Amino acid sequence: MKIIEKTMQQRPELTAFVQEQLKQFDQHNLIDAENHGGRNMPALSEQNIKPYLIGNHHKAQSIIGHVATDLQPAILVSEVIENEKITQRKLQTLLNKLVAVKEKAVQLEKTVKATQFEVGGFHLYLIWLCVCIPLLGDSMLNRPAFEIYGYTFIESLGISILLAAALAVLAHCFSRIVALGKSVWHKRAIAITVFLLVTALFYYLADTRISYLSIETDAANTHLTAFPIAAMSVLLFGVAIGIKNFFYPTREQRTAMRGYQASKQLHDENRAEQQRIEQEIEMLKQQQEELRQVNTSLYVYGSQLEEMIIAHAHAGFAAWQKVNAMHRTDNGRPTCFNEQYPFVFQRNFKPIHLS
């Protein structure tokens, strides 16, 4: 979560303007006090000092008004209040969605546990790999047999790979081919026929490879026979069939695996949706808090400027009395000097609660 920096929002140009206006206020205040004092005004018996200070008060009040015009406190407050109303509606909508998603998550979790399957999708690829590797290795050994027919090295290599792929498919479909038989003996006959055809193919390839080796300069290879080579090929083909039949999942198991994967995907999507909604809720709250902090800080800033202006006006009132008394020729102290500051400032930045 992003940490909101609670720094005071200020406007340097406004602060500079207020300070300049207060300097002018001080200058006018002192000149005004000196002028009135030189004329012995107010009179010693005067009890109302307001007429003499009303101009200075209006100047201070006008500075406060400028601050309000610049910062627009009503808009700051209403913006926060309106934003909170909108945010609350959005939050409620998101919370309702989150509740619905979490309820669905409970159901999906039950479904995932109910359809959980021990064998994963990688298991299927591993079995196919175990079936293909021995057949591919055997086909690569038979590659020289294809060169006798005039194929190049690359062409014979491609034919060997195609042969390995065809044998892998045959090993995979062997049980289905055998299952075509209507009786036990019929199925046995189909299995034996397939093995005889494959054995004949392997024997032919082995014999051709022996012929290829016999034309090589190495005479030590002339004693080889095709039978053990063909027997090894048949054994590898049988191993491939055994791996498929004993380790490859049945149709029902594969259906269960697909059901589990589908349930798990829905569960993962549901979890991602929960995280998305929670992040959206957090972001919405953060945006609301940021606006609250900024506007509240501006409001406090305006309030501080008002307090500074008012304090300056009160200090100016005391200075006015002192300068006035210094320039009086009657050396007296008017009765109205015993009063407190006689005016009330109209403030625009009153204490508020935005929470």
Side-chain angles (χ1 to χ4, degrees), residues 91-104:
L91 283 175
Q92 189 59 48
T93 302
L94 289 173
L95 289 173
N96 293 338
K97 287 183 180 180
L98 185 60
V99 170
V101 170
K102 286 185 176 181
E103 290 178 350
K104 187 176 180 181

Side-chain angles (χ1 to χ4, degrees), residues 23-35 52-53 56 59 312-313 315-321 323:
K23 288 181 181 179
Q24 296 179 13
F25 173 86
D26 290 340
Q27 293 173 0
H28 180 273
N29 184 63
L30 295 177
I31 293 172
D32 184 70
E34 183 178 347
N35 290 335
Y52 303 96
L53 295 177
N56 291 344
K59 289 182 183 299
H312 216 84
F317 173 60
W320 191 94
Q321 291 176 326
V323 173

Side-chain angles (χ1 to χ4, degrees), residues 29 45 49 94 146 222 234 242 245:
N29 184 63
S45 59
I49 199 173
L94 289 173
F146 300 111
T222 57
V234 173
N245 287 340

Side-chain angles (χ1 to χ4, degrees), residues 53-72:
L53 295 177
I54 188 66
N56 291 344
H57 175 76
H58 285 326
K59 289 182 183 299
Q61 185 66 59
S62 66
I63 301 174
I64 291 177
H66 181 86
V67 171
T69 302
D70 191 285
L71 295 180
Q72 298 178 322

